[in-house]
């Protein structure tokens, strides 16, 4: 890996690693659906110039089928997955939420087996088994830590599974559309859908945006969603998805540290053990991919 690719991976890890803390802070000023709408709208706008440039470079002419595919990605990955993720973050500790969502590369293997014919081998079954054990230790459903709730765990579980589906779906036309186009346009399409949902449900859309709440909103939208996804895509293009996934190794460590410092969340033994098991599973999976 080059120095530039390492920098991209580190920036990605920092942006994604501070996501749960930022979303939890922002959640005190915005409703979960409103926060999801605003941050992906900002993130989509940040990526739009790059997506248009990449589309022109590739000579892309999107068909009705392509637009339908992009809409599907937006609905699954943003409207459903990230809405449940935001609701889960508000009802769980940030460190727990971060570790749970970091397992999405492992669960992606299951959907990839059916969608892109990526064989589900015994090694992958071992990775899945180890990661599930790690998740059980982190969530500790029998004796939940203060700040964690069963409803929050349910929301995060839905977010994890649907985001894994979103990732697997993204592999179907990545070679044709490119990562930036396939990320930006679903963000914007999902933002339109979320806007309509907010109006129908009578929830606030732009209410609550003040000089006091704007910084955390801009951080979630511009830094986490915009820059974070951009540097991740750049890392994938430079060193491939396997090496770029190193960011998911660093994310739980950064998230747990940030939650302890900013939110004063306690780092318990079960979280540490769960992180170790999950990282072990990710390591085995990355070794197989390489």
């Amino acid at each position: 890996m080059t120095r530039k690719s390492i920098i991209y991976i580190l920036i990605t890890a920092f942006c994604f690693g501070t996501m749960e803390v930022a979303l939890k802070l922002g959640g005190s000023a915005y409703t979960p659906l409103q926060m999801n709408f605003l941050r992906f709208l900002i993130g989509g706008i940040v990526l739009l110039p790059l997506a248009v440039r990449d589309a022109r470079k590739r000579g892309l002419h999107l068909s009705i089928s392509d637009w339908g595919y992009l809409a599907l990605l937006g609905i699954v990955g943003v409207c459903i997955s990230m809405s449940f993720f935001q609701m889960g973050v508000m009802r769980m500790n940030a460190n727990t939420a971060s570790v749970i969502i970091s397992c999405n590369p492992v669960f992606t293997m299951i959907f990839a087996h059916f969608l892109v014919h990526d064989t589900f081998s015994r090694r992958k079954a071992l990775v899945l088994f180890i990661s599930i054990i790690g998740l059980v230790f982190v969530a500790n459903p029998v004796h939940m830590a203060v700040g964690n709730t069963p409803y929050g765990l349910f929301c995060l579980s839905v977010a994890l599974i649907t985001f894994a589906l979103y990732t697997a779906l993204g592999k179907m036309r990545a070679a044709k559309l490119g990562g930036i186009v396939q990320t930006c346009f679903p963000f914007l399409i999902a933002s339109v859908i979320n806007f309509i949902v907010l109006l129908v449900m009578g929830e606030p859309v732009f209410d609550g945006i003040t000089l006091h709440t704007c910084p955390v909103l801009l951080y979630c939208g511009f830094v986490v969603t915009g820059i974070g996804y951009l540097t991740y895509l750049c890392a994938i293009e430079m060193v491939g998805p396997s090496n770029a996934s190193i960011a998911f190794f660093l994310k739980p460590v950064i998230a747990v540290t940030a939650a302890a410092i900013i939110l004063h969340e306690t780092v318990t033994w079960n979280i540490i053990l769960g992180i170790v098991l999950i990282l072990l599973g990710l390591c085995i999976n990355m070794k197989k991919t390489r």
Side-chain angles (χ1 to χ4, degrees):
M1 291 190 291
T2 63
R3 179 180 298 180
K4 189 175 183 179
S5 65
I6 293 175
I7 292 175
Y8 282 146
I9 291 172
L10 292 177
I11 293 175
T12 302
F14 178 81
C15 291
F16 288 172
T18 55
M19 176 170 61
E20 288 77 15
V21 172
L23 291 178
K24 206 167 185 66
L25 292 173
S28 61
Y30 308 99
T31 68
L33 294 180
Q34 180 190 21
M35 185 64 178
N36 194 45
F37 160 69
L38 291 173
R39 81 178 184 99
F40 280 98
L41 175 62
I42 296 172
I45 293 173
V46 170
L47 294 175
L48 183 58
L50 299 173
V52 172
R53 186 182 67 178
D54 188 61
R56 289 175 178 173
K57 182 179 178 181
R58 292 172 176 267
L60 279 180
H61 298 283
L62 298 177
S63 63
I64 296 178
S65 175
D66 291 330
W67 282 112
Y69 169 73
L70 293 172
L72 177 63
L73 289 180
I75 292 172
V76 174
V78 179
C79 296
I80 299 177
S81 180
M82 289 297 101
S83 293
F84 274 97
F85 181 65
Q86 181 66 38
M87 290 187 288
V89 166
M90 298 311 299
R91 292 167 177 81
M92 295 285 283
N93 291 326
N95 54 21
T96 307
S98 174
V99 177
I100 290 176
I101 202 66
S102 293
C103 282
N104 77 82
V106 176
F107 286 84
T108 299
M109 299 184 304
I110 301 176
F111 293 108
H113 173 74
F114 297 99
L115 295 176
V116 292
H117 308 294
D118 188 0
T119 304
F120 190 78
S121 62
R122 291 182 179 180
R123 181 188 289 266
K124 291 181 179 180
L126 175 62
V127 170
L128 180 63
F129 177 72
I130 293 174
S131 299
I132 290 177
I133 293 178
L135 283 174
V136 171
F137 274 106
V138 170
N140 196 11
V142 178
H143 302 288
M144 283 190 170
V146 177
N148 292 337
T149 66
Y151 182 71
L153 180 59
F154 167 77
C155 288
L156 287 175
S157 299
V158 174
L160 169 63
I161 294 171
T162 51
F163 194 79
L165 174 60
Y166 159 78
T167 305
L169 286 170
K171 297 181 179 182
M172 297 178 68
R173 302 193 188 184
K176 174 187 176 182
L177 302 178
I180 295 180
V181 169
Q182 209 171 251
T183 301
C184 172
F185 290 162
F187 281 7
L188 295 176
I189 293 172
S191 296
V192 173
I193 296 174
N194 281 337
F195 176 74
I196 296 173
V197 170
L198 288 172
L199 292 179
V200 171
M201 296 182 64
E203 291 206 13
V205 180
F206 298 105
D207 300 351
I209 301 178
T210 64
L211 291 177
H212 178 68
T213 62
C214 196
V216 68
L217 174 61
L218 290 177
Y219 185 85
C220 292
F222 184 79
V223 178
V224 173
T225 311
I227 296 178
Y229 276 90
L230 176 60
T231 53
Y232 184 53
L233 292 171
C234 290
I236 289 176
E237 290 182 359
M238 294 184 67
V239 297
S242 180
N243 285 324
S245 66
I246 292 174
F248 286 98
F249 284 74
L250 302 175
K251 170 180 164 58
V253 179
I254 295 174
V256 170
T257 303
I261 295 174
I262 299 175
L263 301 177
H264 307 293
E265 292 183 359
T266 303
V267 182
T268 57
W269 67 268
N270 59 294
I271 290 180
I272 296 175
L273 179 58
I275 289 176
V276 171
L277 290 172
I278 291 169
L279 292 184
L280 175 61
L282 290 174
C283 183
I284 295 174
N285 183 47
M286 189 176 74
K287 182 178 179 182
K288 173 62 178 177
T289 303
R290 298 174 78 177

